[in-house]
mmCIF file of all heavy atoms in Angstrom:
data_model
loop_
_atom_site.group_PDB
_atom_site.id
_atom_site.type_symbol
_atom_site.label_atom_id
_atom_site.label_comp_id
_atom_site.label_asym_id
_atom_site.label_seq_id
_atom_site.Cartn_x
_atom_site.Cartn_y
_atom_site.Cartn_z
ATOM 1 N N PHE A 19 117.114 -101.116 159.808
ATOM 2 C CA PHE A 19 118.445 -101.219 160.384
ATOM 3 C C PHE A 19 118.724 -102.580 160.987
ATOM 4 O O PHE A 19 119.875 -102.895 161.279
ATOM 5 C CB PHE A 19 118.642 -100.117 161.410
ATOM 6 C CG PHE A 19 118.741 -98.787 160.743
ATOM 7 C CD1 PHE A 19 117.655 -97.950 160.681
ATOM 8 C CD2 PHE A 19 119.926 -98.402 160.126
ATOM 9 C CE1 PHE A 19 117.747 -96.739 160.035
ATOM 10 C CE2 PHE A 19 120.019 -97.207 159.473
ATOM 11 C CZ PHE A 19 118.931 -96.356 159.422
ATOM 12 N N TYR A 20 117.699 -103.406 161.120
ATOM 13 C CA TYR A 20 117.949 -104.780 161.566
ATOM 14 C C TYR A 20 118.806 -105.497 160.535
ATOM 15 O O TYR A 20 119.625 -106.351 160.869
ATOM 16 C CB TYR A 20 116.628 -105.511 161.752
ATOM 17 C CG TYR A 20 116.800 -106.822 162.513
ATOM 18 C CD1 TYR A 20 116.725 -106.837 163.905
ATOM 19 C CD2 TYR A 20 117.057 -108.004 161.832
ATOM 20 C CE1 TYR A 20 116.891 -108.022 164.586
ATOM 21 C CE2 TYR A 20 117.225 -109.188 162.514
ATOM 22 C CZ TYR A 20 117.135 -109.189 163.893
ATOM 23 O OH TYR A 20 117.323 -110.350 164.570
ATOM 24 N N LYS A 21 118.630 -105.129 159.267
ATOM 25 C CA LYS A 21 119.396 -105.771 158.199
ATOM 26 C C LYS A 21 120.895 -105.480 158.329
ATOM 27 O O LYS A 21 121.728 -106.329 157.991
ATOM 28 C CB LYS A 21 118.893 -105.274 156.846
ATOM 29 C CG LYS A 21 119.670 -105.851 155.673
ATOM 30 C CD LYS A 21 119.159 -105.266 154.379
ATOM 31 C CE LYS A 21 119.995 -105.775 153.198
ATOM 32 N NZ LYS A 21 119.579 -105.196 151.929
ATOM 33 N N THR A 22 121.243 -104.289 158.807
ATOM 34 C CA THR A 22 122.649 -103.908 158.857
ATOM 35 C C THR A 22 123.302 -104.206 160.187
ATOM 36 O O THR A 22 124.534 -104.360 160.248
ATOM 37 C CB THR A 22 122.782 -102.393 158.583
ATOM 38 O OG1 THR A 22 122.075 -101.674 159.602
ATOM 39 C CG2 THR A 22 122.228 -102.050 157.225
ATOM 40 N N LYS A 23 122.531 -104.331 161.269
ATOM 41 C CA LYS A 23 123.123 -104.488 162.584
ATOM 42 C C LYS A 23 123.840 -105.824 162.732
ATOM 43 O O LYS A 23 123.325 -106.874 162.381
ATOM 44 C CB LYS A 23 122.013 -104.366 163.650
ATOM 45 C CG LYS A 23 122.543 -104.387 165.063
ATOM 46 C CD LYS A 23 121.410 -104.214 166.048
ATOM 47 C CE LYS A 23 121.915 -104.208 167.475
ATOM 48 N NZ LYS A 23 120.805 -104.082 168.446
ATOM 49 N N GLU A 24 125.042 -105.776 163.239
ATOM 50 C CA GLU A 24 125.860 -106.958 163.498
ATOM 51 C C GLU A 24 126.049 -107.818 162.250
ATOM 52 O O GLU A 24 126.188 -109.038 162.328
ATOM 53 C CB GLU A 24 125.226 -107.827 164.591
ATOM 54 C CG GLU A 24 125.101 -107.130 165.940
ATOM 55 C CD GLU A 24 126.442 -106.992 166.623
ATOM 56 O OE1 GLU A 24 127.434 -107.542 166.091
ATOM 57 O OE2 GLU A 24 126.510 -106.332 167.648
ATOM 58 N N ILE A 25 126.064 -107.207 161.064
ATOM 59 C CA ILE A 25 126.079 -108.009 159.848
ATOM 60 C C ILE A 25 127.397 -108.767 159.665
ATOM 61 O O ILE A 25 127.420 -109.894 159.178
ATOM 62 C CB ILE A 25 125.805 -107.114 158.605
ATOM 63 C CG1 ILE A 25 125.546 -108.009 157.390
ATOM 64 C CG2 ILE A 25 126.954 -106.154 158.335
ATOM 65 C CD1 ILE A 25 124.843 -107.319 156.281
ATOM 66 N N ALA A 26 128.482 -108.124 160.081
ATOM 67 C CA ALA A 26 129.780 -108.808 159.941
ATOM 68 C C ALA A 26 129.832 -110.062 160.782
ATOM 69 O O ALA A 26 130.322 -111.108 160.360
ATOM 70 C CB ALA A 26 130.906 -107.855 160.331
ATOM 71 N N ARG A 27 129.309 -109.953 161.999
ATOM 72 C CA ARG A 27 129.355 -111.099 162.896
ATOM 73 C C ARG A 27 128.483 -112.241 162.392
ATOM 74 O O ARG A 27 128.864 -113.398 162.431
ATOM 75 C CB ARG A 27 128.905 -110.687 164.302
ATOM 76 C CG ARG A 27 129.053 -111.797 165.331
ATOM 77 C CD ARG A 27 128.499 -111.377 166.671
ATOM 78 N NE ARG A 27 129.186 -110.209 167.153
ATOM 79 C CZ ARG A 27 128.896 -109.635 168.328
ATOM 80 N NH1 ARG A 27 127.933 -110.126 169.071
ATOM 81 N NH2 ARG A 27 129.549 -108.564 168.719
ATOM 82 N N THR A 28 127.313 -111.922 161.905
ATOM 83 C CA THR A 28 126.403 -112.981 161.452
ATOM 84 C C THR A 28 126.887 -113.627 160.167
ATOM 85 O O THR A 28 126.662 -114.817 159.941
ATOM 86 C CB THR A 28 124.989 -112.440 161.237
ATOM 87 O OG1 THR A 28 125.045 -111.334 160.341
ATOM 88 C CG2 THR A 28 124.397 -111.979 162.550
ATOM 89 N N GLU A 29 127.533 -112.849 159.312
ATOM 90 C CA GLU A 29 128.028 -113.427 158.052
ATOM 91 C C GLU A 29 129.120 -114.458 158.321
ATOM 92 O O GLU A 29 129.303 -115.405 157.558
ATOM 93 C CB GLU A 29 128.542 -112.314 157.144
ATOM 94 C CG GLU A 29 127.398 -111.532 156.487
ATOM 95 C CD GLU A 29 127.926 -110.419 155.606
ATOM 96 O OE1 GLU A 29 129.134 -110.100 155.687
ATOM 97 O OE2 GLU A 29 127.116 -109.883 154.836
ATOM 98 N N GLU A 30 129.848 -114.276 159.410
ATOM 99 C CA GLU A 30 130.872 -115.240 159.763
ATOM 100 C C GLU A 30 130.272 -116.587 160.153
ATOM 101 O O GLU A 30 130.932 -117.601 160.153
ATOM 102 C CB GLU A 30 131.716 -114.704 160.918
ATOM 103 C CG GLU A 30 132.575 -113.507 160.524
ATOM 104 C CD GLU A 30 133.318 -112.943 161.715
ATOM 105 O OE1 GLU A 30 133.122 -113.499 162.841
ATOM 106 O OE2 GLU A 30 134.080 -111.986 161.549
ATOM 107 N N HIS A 31 128.989 -116.566 160.513
ATOM 108 C CA HIS A 31 128.333 -117.792 160.992
ATOM 109 C C HIS A 31 127.299 -118.333 160.008
ATOM 110 O O HIS A 31 126.453 -119.137 160.368
ATOM 111 C CB HIS A 31 127.635 -117.530 162.329
ATOM 112 C CG HIS A 31 128.595 -117.224 163.444
ATOM 113 N ND1 HIS A 31 129.106 -115.964 163.609
ATOM 114 C CD2 HIS A 31 129.116 -118.023 164.400
ATOM 115 C CE1 HIS A 31 129.922 -115.981 164.670
ATOM 116 N NE2 HIS A 31 129.953 -117.197 165.156
ATOM 117 N N GLN A 32 127.351 -117.876 158.777
ATOM 118 C CA GLN A 32 126.328 -118.297 157.821
ATOM 119 C C GLN A 32 126.351 -119.794 157.567
ATOM 120 O O GLN A 32 125.348 -120.395 157.215
ATOM 121 C CB GLN A 32 126.524 -117.550 156.496
ATOM 122 C CG GLN A 32 126.020 -116.115 156.555
ATOM 123 C CD GLN A 32 126.126 -115.430 155.209
ATOM 124 O OE1 GLN A 32 126.669 -115.983 154.273
ATOM 125 N NE2 GLN A 32 125.609 -114.226 155.125
ATOM 126 N N MET A 48 118.885 -114.727 173.899
ATOM 127 C CA MET A 48 119.315 -113.344 174.066
ATOM 128 C C MET A 48 118.683 -112.826 175.343
ATOM 129 O O MET A 48 117.613 -112.228 175.339
ATOM 130 C CB MET A 48 118.890 -112.506 172.854
ATOM 131 C CG MET A 48 119.421 -113.039 171.534
ATOM 132 S SD MET A 48 118.945 -112.060 170.125
ATOM 133 C CE MET A 48 119.957 -110.607 170.384
ATOM 134 N N VAL A 68 124.887 -106.329 179.134
ATOM 135 C CA VAL A 68 125.503 -106.712 177.868
ATOM 136 C C VAL A 68 126.193 -108.060 177.964
ATOM 137 O O VAL A 68 126.151 -108.874 177.047
ATOM 138 C CB VAL A 68 126.501 -105.627 177.422
ATOM 139 C CG1 VAL A 68 127.310 -106.115 176.219
ATOM 140 C CG2 VAL A 68 125.773 -104.345 177.068
ATOM 141 N N TRP A 71 123.959 -111.138 177.245
ATOM 142 C CA TRP A 71 123.344 -111.350 175.943
ATOM 143 C C TRP A 71 124.185 -112.323 175.130
ATOM 144 O O TRP A 71 125.402 -112.238 175.110
ATOM 145 C CB TRP A 71 123.246 -110.033 175.173
ATOM 146 C CG TRP A 71 122.157 -109.128 175.655
ATOM 147 C CD1 TRP A 71 122.200 -108.334 176.745
ATOM 148 C CD2 TRP A 71 120.885 -108.938 175.058
ATOM 149 N NE1 TRP A 71 121.024 -107.648 176.870
ATOM 150 C CE2 TRP A 71 120.192 -107.992 175.855
ATOM 151 C CE3 TRP A 71 120.248 -109.470 173.944
ATOM 152 C CZ2 TRP A 71 118.906 -107.572 175.565
ATOM 153 C CZ3 TRP A 71 118.977 -109.037 173.646
ATOM 154 C CH2 TRP A 71 118.308 -108.104 174.458
ATOM 155 N N ILE A 73 124.163 -113.949 171.190
ATOM 156 C CA ILE A 73 123.534 -113.894 169.885
ATOM 157 C C ILE A 73 123.368 -115.287 169.301
ATOM 158 O O ILE A 73 124.318 -116.060 169.223
ATOM 159 C CB ILE A 73 124.380 -113.042 168.913
ATOM 160 C CG1 ILE A 73 124.360 -111.589 169.360
ATOM 161 C CG2 ILE A 73 123.859 -113.173 167.485
ATOM 162 C CD1 ILE A 73 125.118 -110.660 168.442
ATOM 163 N N ASN A 74 122.149 -115.600 168.934
ATOM 164 C CA ASN A 74 121.849 -116.861 168.251
ATOM 165 C C ASN A 74 121.947 -116.575 166.747
ATOM 166 O O ASN A 74 120.995 -116.121 166.120
ATOM 167 C CB ASN A 74 120.446 -117.321 168.629
ATOM 168 C CG ASN A 74 120.110 -118.669 168.006
ATOM 169 O OD1 ASN A 74 120.666 -119.035 166.983
ATOM 170 N ND2 ASN A 74 119.175 -119.370 168.614
ATOM 171 N N SER A 75 123.112 -116.811 166.167
ATOM 172 C CA SER A 75 123.373 -116.435 164.780
ATOM 173 C C SER A 75 122.417 -117.121 163.801
ATOM 174 O O SER A 75 121.975 -116.513 162.830
ATOM 175 C CB SER A 75 124.818 -116.782 164.410
ATOM 176 O OG SER A 75 125.728 -116.081 165.221
ATOM 177 N N VAL A 78 119.104 -115.320 163.985
ATOM 178 C CA VAL A 78 119.234 -113.994 163.391
ATOM 179 C C VAL A 78 119.151 -114.082 161.875
ATOM 180 O O VAL A 78 118.451 -113.306 161.215
ATOM 181 C CB VAL A 78 120.566 -113.338 163.825
ATOM 182 C CG1 VAL A 78 120.870 -112.118 162.954
ATOM 183 C CG2 VAL A 78 120.523 -112.935 165.285
ATOM 184 N N LEU A 79 119.857 -115.020 161.296
ATOM 185 C CA LEU A 79 119.848 -115.190 159.839
ATOM 186 C C LEU A 79 118.467 -115.587 159.329
ATOM 187 O O LEU A 79 118.039 -115.163 158.262
ATOM 188 C CB LEU A 79 120.878 -116.237 159.425
ATOM 189 C CG LEU A 79 122.350 -115.811 159.593
ATOM 190 C CD1 LEU A 79 123.266 -116.991 159.335
ATOM 191 C CD2 LEU A 79 122.669 -114.658 158.657
ATOM 192 N N ARG A 82 116.315 -112.464 159.467
ATOM 193 C CA ARG A 82 116.723 -111.561 158.397
ATOM 194 C C ARG A 82 116.196 -112.054 157.046
ATOM 195 O O ARG A 82 115.736 -111.267 156.221
ATOM 196 C CB ARG A 82 118.243 -111.462 158.372
ATOM 197 C CG ARG A 82 118.777 -110.566 157.259
ATOM 198 C CD ARG A 82 120.265 -110.356 157.408
ATOM 199 N NE ARG A 82 120.527 -109.557 158.592
ATOM 200 C CZ ARG A 82 121.678 -109.581 159.260
ATOM 201 N NH1 ARG A 82 122.643 -110.394 158.876
ATOM 202 N NH2 ARG A 82 121.855 -108.807 160.302
ATOM 203 N N ARG A 138 127.085 -100.521 155.653
ATOM 204 C CA ARG A 138 126.814 -101.594 156.609
ATOM 205 C C ARG A 138 127.614 -101.328 157.872
ATOM 206 O O ARG A 138 128.708 -100.758 157.819
ATOM 207 C CB ARG A 138 127.176 -102.955 156.024
ATOM 208 C CG ARG A 138 126.249 -103.391 154.899
ATOM 209 C CD ARG A 138 126.572 -104.801 154.455
ATOM 210 N NE ARG A 138 125.593 -105.298 153.516
ATOM 211 C CZ ARG A 138 125.590 -106.519 153.036
ATOM 212 N NH1 ARG A 138 126.524 -107.382 153.404
ATOM 213 N NH2 ARG A 138 124.650 -106.909 152.202
ATOM 214 N N PHE A 139 127.069 -101.749 158.990
ATOM 215 C CA PHE A 139 127.691 -101.430 160.268
ATOM 216 C C PHE A 139 127.708 -102.652 161.186
ATOM 217 O O PHE A 139 126.776 -103.453 161.188
ATOM 218 C CB PHE A 139 126.930 -100.296 160.962
ATOM 219 C CG PHE A 139 126.682 -99.119 160.056
ATOM 220 C CD1 PHE A 139 125.482 -99.007 159.370
ATOM 221 C CD2 PHE A 139 127.648 -98.157 159.875
ATOM 222 C CE1 PHE A 139 125.258 -97.941 158.515
ATOM 223 C CE2 PHE A 139 127.426 -97.076 159.027
ATOM 224 C CZ PHE A 139 126.222 -96.976 158.347
ATOM 225 N N LYS A 140 128.762 -102.777 161.946
ATOM 226 C CA LYS A 140 128.848 -103.894 162.897
ATOM 227 C C LYS A 140 128.040 -103.598 164.157
ATOM 228 O O LYS A 140 127.559 -104.526 164.804
ATOM 229 C CB LYS A 140 130.313 -104.129 163.259
ATOM 230 C CG LYS A 140 131.167 -104.673 162.135
ATOM 231 C CD LYS A 140 132.576 -104.934 162.603
ATOM 232 C CE LYS A 140 133.436 -105.494 161.481
ATOM 233 N NZ LYS A 140 134.831 -105.752 161.936
ATOM 234 N N MET A 141 127.917 -102.332 164.510
ATOM 235 C CA MET A 141 127.277 -102.012 165.787
ATOM 236 C C MET A 141 126.493 -100.703 165.665
ATOM 237 O O MET A 141 127.056 -99.655 165.350
ATOM 238 C CB MET A 141 128.335 -101.897 166.884
ATOM 239 C CG MET A 141 127.762 -101.809 168.274
ATOM 240 S SD MET A 141 129.039 -102.062 169.546
ATOM 241 C CE MET A 141 130.173 -100.738 169.177
ATOM 242 N N CYS A 142 125.178 -100.769 165.885
ATOM 243 C CA CYS A 142 124.299 -99.610 165.811
ATOM 244 C C CYS A 142 123.628 -99.359 167.157
ATOM 245 O O CYS A 142 123.449 -100.287 167.946
ATOM 246 C CB CYS A 142 123.225 -99.805 164.751
ATOM 247 S SG CYS A 142 123.841 -100.130 163.104
ATOM 248 N N ALA A 143 123.272 -98.125 167.399
ATOM 249 C CA ALA A 143 122.522 -97.761 168.611
ATOM 250 C C ALA A 143 121.263 -97.024 168.203
ATOM 251 O O ALA A 143 121.307 -96.114 167.362
ATOM 252 C CB ALA A 143 123.371 -96.876 169.527
ATOM 253 N N HIS A 163 129.263 -96.309 169.222
ATOM 254 C CA HIS A 163 128.688 -97.125 168.139
ATOM 255 C C HIS A 163 129.003 -96.516 166.781
ATOM 256 O O HIS A 163 129.144 -95.300 166.647
ATOM 257 C CB HIS A 163 127.166 -97.257 168.324
ATOM 258 C CG HIS A 163 126.771 -98.092 169.486
ATOM 259 N ND1 HIS A 163 126.932 -97.690 170.789
ATOM 260 C CD2 HIS A 163 126.228 -99.335 169.555
ATOM 261 C CE1 HIS A 163 126.498 -98.632 171.612
ATOM 262 N NE2 HIS A 163 126.071 -99.653 170.881
ATOM 263 N N GLU A 164 129.061 -97.371 165.779
ATOM 264 C CA GLU A 164 129.362 -96.903 164.421
ATOM 265 C C GLU A 164 128.250 -96.042 163.854
ATOM 266 O O GLU A 164 128.510 -95.109 163.076
ATOM 267 C CB GLU A 164 129.590 -98.097 163.491
ATOM 268 C CG GLU A 164 130.854 -98.865 163.731
ATOM 269 C CD GLU A 164 130.987 -99.992 162.735
ATOM 270 O OE1 GLU A 164 131.461 -99.727 161.612
ATOM 271 O OE2 GLU A 164 130.614 -101.123 163.059
ATOM 272 N N PHE A 165 127.032 -96.381 164.185
ATOM 273 C CA PHE A 165 125.882 -95.690 163.588
ATOM 274 C C PHE A 165 124.839 -95.475 164.685
ATOM 275 O O PHE A 165 124.409 -96.423 165.334
ATOM 276 C CB PHE A 165 125.293 -96.539 162.453
ATOM 277 C CG PHE A 165 124.391 -95.786 161.526
ATOM 278 C CD1 PHE A 165 124.915 -95.013 160.512
ATOM 279 C CD2 PHE A 165 123.011 -95.876 161.659
ATOM 280 C CE1 PHE A 165 124.086 -94.333 159.636
ATOM 281 C CE2 PHE A 165 122.172 -95.200 160.794
ATOM 282 C CZ PHE A 165 122.698 -94.416 159.781
#
Side-chain angles (χ1 to χ4, degrees):
F19 290 99
Y20 193 89
K21 177 182 177 182
T22 61
K23 186 178 181 182
E24 298 287 353
I25 192 161
R27 186 184 301 180
T28 55
E29 284 180 347
E30 292 176 359
H31 294 82
Q32 283 184 355
M48 303 180 71
V68 171
W71 284 79
I73 293 182
N74 183 335
S75 299
V78 166
L79 290 172
R82 178 172 292 155
R138 290 186 172 184
F139 311 95
K140 292 183 180 180
M141 190 167 59
C142 302
H163 290 71
E164 289 182 83
F165 197 81

